[in-house]
Amino acid sequence: MKMNYKAPLALGLLSLALVGCSNKAIKVAEQKPSPLPKISASSSLVAVANYSVAATNAVDPLRLQLGLAQGQVFAADPKGEVTAYQGKQRIWQSKISKAGISAGAVAGEGIVVVANKKGQLFALDQATGQTKWQNQLSSAVLAPSLIQAGRVITLANDGTVFAHDISTGQQIWTYNLPKVDFSMRGTAAPVAVDPRTVLVAWANSYVYVIDTVTGIPQLQRRVSINDGRSDIQRLNDIDGEPVVAGRYLISTSYQGQLTAMDLASQQVIWSEDASSLRSPVIFDNKVFVAQSSGQLTAYDITTGQQLWQNEQLLNRRLSNPAVLGNQLVVGDLDGVLHLVDPNSGNLIGRAKTSGEVRSLRSVDQQLYVSSQKGTYSIWQNR
């Protein structure tokens, strides 16, 4: 079972962590974030929309996000509501769970999907917000589902992968990942490889490629290694979603490596030591990683050669990086959105949202931001 314990991060995210099965409390030294560096801003962002929901727990790894479909956005509230907007106009609002929402929202094929810590999975009608179906899974859900090929693919916190029929909610198949006794609290969301297959990353440092229709695994491969002596030193989770780009599968892990695998040969092409709980991003044949220490690093996608490293944002609890236009963007613990030149790593601008940035997504030249304080915002280049 994936334990509900948060191990101490290298950047001093927590002042208190619970480790092992004894629930023994261990003090973790807090590391002071680097001050914001002075920059000569040449680029900036402008907010085009903001939506407010309840805040999440500051030490909870929830990564709630806006669901997007047909020009509408769907905002999941941790208190259990889902709201649909067309621009700034509210279309509908549905209270669906007294147990709150811990994962979502994702939208597609006519439905909006969210889930909660009780393991309840909900599918709502995109047009009306009415619940189309609901299912009880085996444990808490902490990452968004994937809607693909008429299926809703969900990874529960105990390592069970579920596939449900998108129309009826009928369970089509399950796939059980190996049990992990000790891990970071958090999971990577399922990722589409192609229209027929889905990739799931797990806390045992393996990735699994599964046939979406049948549930039959097509590949399993370890992509990270850790030789630490203690349980904490051996933590080697993959909590950030791997990225598929052509023949490449790029993954990061905590206290492990950034790894590039060839999907055709199923062989690791290169790996570089890098600790990250965030998903990498690929742009212009470069791989960008926000490391747990706050280092922002760029690598050549073909060779793994390090191209540059920015250390101006150390201990600022960076979000996953995203690409907007021809610029790199990363958020931090103070809600600052940093604009970075992807060719040099230089900071070239910044903007500010409210609360620690938990996730970034770039879709159709707009940046979708979610924060710990419950602020969803949409940005574009000025």
Side-chain angles (χ1 to χ4, degrees):
M1 177 180 179
K2 210 173 188 208
M3 307 298 287
N4 293 341
Y5 301 136
K6 191 72 177 178
L9 302 183
L11 64 158
L13 171 58
L14 307 179
S15 59
L16 183 66
L18 298 179
V19 298
C21 297
S22 64
N23 288 352
K24 181 181 179 181
I26 294 179
K27 293 290 184 179
V28 179
E30 194 81 35
Q31 295 191 32
K32 187 176 181 180
S34 296
L36 283 178
K38 294 181 179 180
I39 58 173
S40 299
S42 59
S43 299
S44 61
L45 300 174
V46 58
V48 296
N50 286 278
Y51 311 100
S52 295
V53 297
T56 58
N57 190 302
V59 297
D60 203 312
L62 303 185
R63 289 175 294 120
L64 296 175
Q65 62 183 23
L66 290 173
L68 314 173
Q70 299 176 331
Q72 293 184 343
V73 297
F74 304 91
D77 191 313
K79 289 188 174 181
E81 290 184 339
V82 179
T83 306
Y85 295 92
Q86 184 89 43
K88 296 181 180 180
Q89 180 183 1
R90 188 173 74 182
I91 306 300
W92 52 256
Q93 185 173 59
S94 295
K95 177 72 174 182
I96 61 167
S97 170
K98 292 182 179 179
I101 296 174
S102 61
V106 291
E109 300 187 33
I111 66 170
V112 182
V113 177
V114 296
N116 65 22
K117 293 180 181 179
K118 297 289 187 180
Q120 296 172 310
L121 182 69
F122 302 89
L124 312 181
D125 185 279
Q126 275 185 23
T128 67
Q130 296 298 309
T131 300
K132 294 189 68 173
W133 51 263
Q134 174 182 340
N135 271 292
Q136 180 64 53
L137 307 189
S138 55
S139 71
V141 181
L142 301 179
S145 301
L146 172 69
I147 298 173
Q148 182 186 35
R151 303 280 191 266
V152 176
I153 311 297
T154 309
L155 174 59
N157 200 47
D158 66 354
T160 307
V161 186
F162 292 86
H164 292 90
D165 181 89
I166 199 167
S167 299
T168 66
Q170 178 184 357
Q171 182 177 300
I172 305 300
W173 53 259
T174 62
Y175 182 77
N176 294 316
L177 301 175
K179 299 298 182 182
V180 178
D181 293 327
F182 193 84
S183 71
M184 305 295 290
R185 178 168 166 80
T187 56
V191 175
V193 177
D194 57 43
R196 180 65 187 253
T197 53
V198 59
L199 181 142
V200 178
W202 188 229
N204 61 351
S205 309
Y206 276 74
V207 294
Y208 300 81
V209 175
I210 305 171
D211 186 290
T212 307
V213 176
T214 65
I216 297 173
Q218 306 294 312
L219 175 154
Q220 64 177 50
R221 181 61 191 258
R222 186 165 192 167
V223 292
S224 183
I225 297 174
N226 186 305
D227 296 323
R229 293 184 177 182
S230 69
D231 287 336
I232 291 178
Q233 290 172 336
R234 285 192 296 270
L235 281 172
N236 200 200
D237 286 20
I238 305 173
D239 277 9
E241 290 76 40
V243 178
V244 177
R247 58 182 279 221
Y248 295 102
L249 169 66
I250 308 296
S251 61
T252 56
S253 61
Y254 178 62
Q255 298 186 145
Q257 291 83 40
L258 167 71
T259 300
M261 187 175 75
D262 187 302
L263 284 169
S265 66
Q266 301 184 11
Q267 299 299 310
V268 171
I269 304 171
W270 55 262
S271 66
E272 294 291 332
D273 288 342
S275 176
S276 180
L277 290 167
R278 314 301 184 196
S279 180
V281 69
I282 298 171
F283 175 67
D284 193 26
N285 291 319
K286 301 180 183 70
V287 180
F288 303 96
V289 178
Q291 300 196 47
S292 299
S293 61
Q295 294 170 321
L296 189 62
T297 313
Y299 301 86
D300 182 275
I301 194 171
T302 304
T303 65
Q305 177 186 359
Q306 182 176 305
L307 302 176
W308 54 256
Q309 183 162 275
N310 185 310
E311 297 187 350
Q312 294 176 287
L313 306 174
L314 293 180
N315 305 317
R316 295 194 65 84
R317 297 208 294 266
L318 299 183
S319 72
N320 62 295
V323 174
L324 182 64
N326 59 358
Q327 297 170 337
L328 190 66
V329 186
V330 66
D332 72 11
L333 79 171
D334 290 325
V336 179
L337 299 171
H338 303 272
L339 280 70
V340 183
D341 184 333
N343 295 312
S344 66
N346 294 328
L347 299 179
I348 56 175
R350 63 173 60 117
K352 184 79 162 58
T353 186
S354 176
E356 179 179 344
V357 177
R358 288 295 174 86
S359 72
L360 300 179
R361 284 191 301 160
S362 181
V363 182
D364 296 332
Q365 299 302 309
Q366 290 190 317
L367 183 72
Y368 294 82
V369 181
S370 62
S371 81
Q372 177 270 325
K373 284 190 176 180
T375 299
Y376 294 115
S377 53
I378 305 175
W379 302 75
Q380 62 188 27
N381 287 314
R382 187 181 295 274

